[in-house]
């Protein structure tokens, strides 16, 4: 069983989504995502109060994940554990998280939205990983 957001989980996530081409951003996308390359850092507070980070990058039509926080991410979102699970599942609603005070976002919200769309696109390929993940 892989622990959610552990380095092993991040590697398995990357393997699962590596062959998947994510949809291009639309013409109405913000400038930061229009060229199709951007990064989002997700910082999650565990139940014990520690912080675990993962950086999601879209480049060349592919979504990749790396453990840790990238300094060059266009947006950083800080969320609780359950919101991190929803974020990685492509079901997290930024407006609800922000309005409810459960999330802190620094950076370009267009990048956050584009990352959410990329995560939605890869979900069908993550069934085995979800089954093998301990939260």
């Amino acid at each position: 069983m892989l622990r959610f957001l552990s380095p092993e989980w991040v590697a398995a996530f990357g393997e699962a989504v590596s062959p998947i081409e994510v949809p291009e951003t639309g013409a109405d996308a913000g400038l930061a995502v229009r060229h199709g390359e951007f990064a989002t850092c997700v910082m999650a507070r565990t139940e014990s109060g520690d912080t675990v980070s993962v950086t999601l990058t879209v480049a060349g039509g592919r979504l990749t994940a790396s453990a840790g926080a990238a300094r060059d991410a266009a947006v950083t979102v800080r969320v609780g554990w359950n919101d991190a699970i929803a974020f990685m599942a492509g079901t997290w609603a930024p407006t609800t998280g922000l309005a409810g005070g459960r999330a802190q976002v620094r950076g370009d919200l267009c990048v956050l939205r584009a990352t959410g769309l990329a995560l939605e696109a890869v979900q069908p390929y993550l069934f085995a990983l979800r089954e093998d993940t301990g939260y």
Side-chain angles (χ1 to χ4, degrees), residues 2-19:
L2 298 171
R3 176 81 175 141
F4 179 63
L5 294 185
S6 68
E8 296 81 14
W9 185 92
V10 172
F13 177 94
E15 283 182 40
V17 302
S18 65

Side-chain angles (χ1 to χ4, degrees), residues 20-104:
I20 311 311
E21 189 167 335
V22 297
E24 291 184 22
T25 57
D28 61 342
L31 291 175
V33 299
R34 201 167 289 158
H35 58 68
E37 295 187 12
F38 49 89
T40 297
C41 176
V42 179
M43 302 178 85
R45 289 178 311 281
T46 67
E47 291 100 3
S48 63
D50 296 327
T51 300
V52 179
S53 302
V54 62
T55 299
L56 302 168
T57 303
V58 172
R62 301 284 191 259
L63 175 66
T64 60
S66 56
R71 291 185 176 185
D72 62 343
V75 66
T76 298
V77 60
R78 292 176 179 266
V79 292
W81 197 246
N82 290 332
D83 285 318
I85 292 168
F87 188 88
M88 295 303 289
T91 61
W92 187 70
T95 53
T96 304
L98 293 170
R102 296 190 331 258
Q104 296 174 339

